[in-house]
Amino acid sequence: MSASYAKLSESISKAKNVRIYKDKDTAYDFKLYPFGERGTYIDPELISEITDSLAESITAQFPAFDYIVSPEPGGHTWGMLAAYKLMKPMNILRLSTELYDNYEVSIKRETAYNENYIYFDGFTAGDRVLLLDDVISSGATIRCIARQMVRMGIELTGVQAILAKGDHYKQLQTDIGVPVRFLSKA
């Protein structure tokens, strides 16, 4: 599950730690990974290494799915790159904005540092999808997406991430009943 990725390992070890406040009383120590949701500059060699490695991992671990699903803000970039590399369609789960307020299906996503809504569009019952995200921390985002997919009749075939923080992915895998894979662990 965890191979040696030189650029990815370097980016993880050099990531800055910042404190994010969910509200005035709730602080969360957040790692600014360049490939993560609040990352900025990404070296082209890192982009290539992650994209190629995601495609290889997905091909080896998840042979049967119709398309990739990735949430904003961190997963959708990598989902798009992996989908392109694998020549698969993708569906982006959008964050709440006034543009999506009329969507029929939305779910509240609450993490240790954030609350927002994720909007679902373009799904059909019976679709087989692979969920791709940047970082698995507690697994809260993936759990809420997986629950909504069950309600919609969507088959989640697995979860692929770039990074798993700690061992939360083990409980996540048990909770949602599909394999959870990642390129690296911190």
Side-chain angles (χ1 to χ4, degrees), residues 96-104 106 119:
S96 55
T97 73
E98 65 280 354
L99 296 175
Y100 304 110
D101 285 341
N102 293 324
Y103 278 28
E104 291 180 25
S106 67
Y119 291 81

Side-chain angles (χ1 to χ4, degrees), residues 5 8 35 46-62 65 68 70 74-75 77-83 85-86 130-134 159-163 181-184:
Y5 305 106
L8 179 58
F35 55 83
L46 179 59
I47 294 170
S48 180
E49 182 178 271
I50 291 173
T51 303
D52 291 346
S53 299
L54 285 171
E56 289 169 14
S57 179
I58 291 167
T59 299
Q61 300 292 324
F62 305 106
F65 63 95
I68 292 173
S70 294
T77 300
W78 299 107
M80 187 166 299
L81 288 167
K85 185 87 175 170
L86 296 168
L130 174 69
L131 181 57
L132 191 152
D133 206 359
D134 57 345
V159 174
Q160 175 70 58
I162 297 169
L163 177 68
R181 303 293 182 257
F182 47 87
L183 301 180
S184 190

Side-chain angles (χ1 to χ4, degrees), residues 15 41 62 64 90 92 119 127 133 146 153 161:
Y41 181 84
F62 305 106
M90 81 165 295
I92 300 172
Y119 291 81
D127 289 350
D133 206 359

